[in-house]
């Protein structure tokens, strides 16, 4: 990792890791599904395929109702679920929450972590 250049490290981070931070960090101008699909769109995935995948992840996290809303119209918990979906939408090899207390309820947890 230390021998990689900045661009290579960024590519590795984007393609192999899913980061779930304490703050959702959503783009306020984008809807829930657009925020979730953003990593796929940046990779060059078609808009239709990215939207389908994003909506599937939002449904898995019980956040499907948030798909057409912008972050300003959502609760913090809903924004966090979108952030989690965004981290997992690319099926990273490693996902890293910064806190074990992320709002992933017990009934949802098995669906979040299912392969």
């Amino acid at each position: 990792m230390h021998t990689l250049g900045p661009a290579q490290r960024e590519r590795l981070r984007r393609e192999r890791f899913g980061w779930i931070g304490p703050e959702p960090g959503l783009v306020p101008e984008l809807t829930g599904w657009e925020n979730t699909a953003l990593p796929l769109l940046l990779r060059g995935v078609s808009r239709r395929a990215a939207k389908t995948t994003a909506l599937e992840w939002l449904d898995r996290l019980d956040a499907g109702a948030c798909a057409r809303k912008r972050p300003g119209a959502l609760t913090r918990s809903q924004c966090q679920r979108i952030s989690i979906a965004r981290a997992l939408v690319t099926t990273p090899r490693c996902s890293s929450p910064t806190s074990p207390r992320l709002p992933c309820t017990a009934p949802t947890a098995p669906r979040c972590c299912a392969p």
Side-chain angles (χ1 to χ4, degrees):
M1 186 96 168
H2 296 290
T3 61
L4 298 176
Q8 292 171 317
R9 280 195 304 270
E10 175 63 23
R11 183 175 169 208
L12 178 68
R13 185 198 62 77
R14 195 176 336 160
E15 292 180 3
R16 301 280 174 101
F17 296 93
W19 179 259
I20 304 167
E23 293 296 323
L26 302 178
V27 179
E29 296 83 10
L30 301 180
T31 63
W33 80 261
E34 291 169 329
N35 269 289
T36 303
L38 191 57
L40 296 173
L41 296 169
L42 291 173
R43 285 185 175 184
V45 174
S46 74
R47 184 174 172 87
R48 180 178 296 192
K51 182 176 184 177
T52 300
T53 305
L55 292 173
E56 288 171 0
W57 272 103
L58 289 171
D59 285 340
R60 287 176 83 175
L61 295 170
D62 294 328
C66 304
R68 293 184 174 200
K69 296 179 182 175
R70 288 189 166 75
L74 300 171
T75 66
R76 180 168 171 82
S77 176
Q78 290 169 324
C79 288
Q80 192 66 45
R81 287 175 186 260
I82 292 171
S83 176
I84 293 167
R86 182 182 57 202
L88 299 175
V89 74
T90 59
T91 58
R93 291 182 186 225
C94 178
S95 58
S96 176
T98 58
S99 168
R101 296 188 192 110
L102 290 176
C104 196
T105 60
T108 307
R111 287 181 282 161
C112 295
C113 302

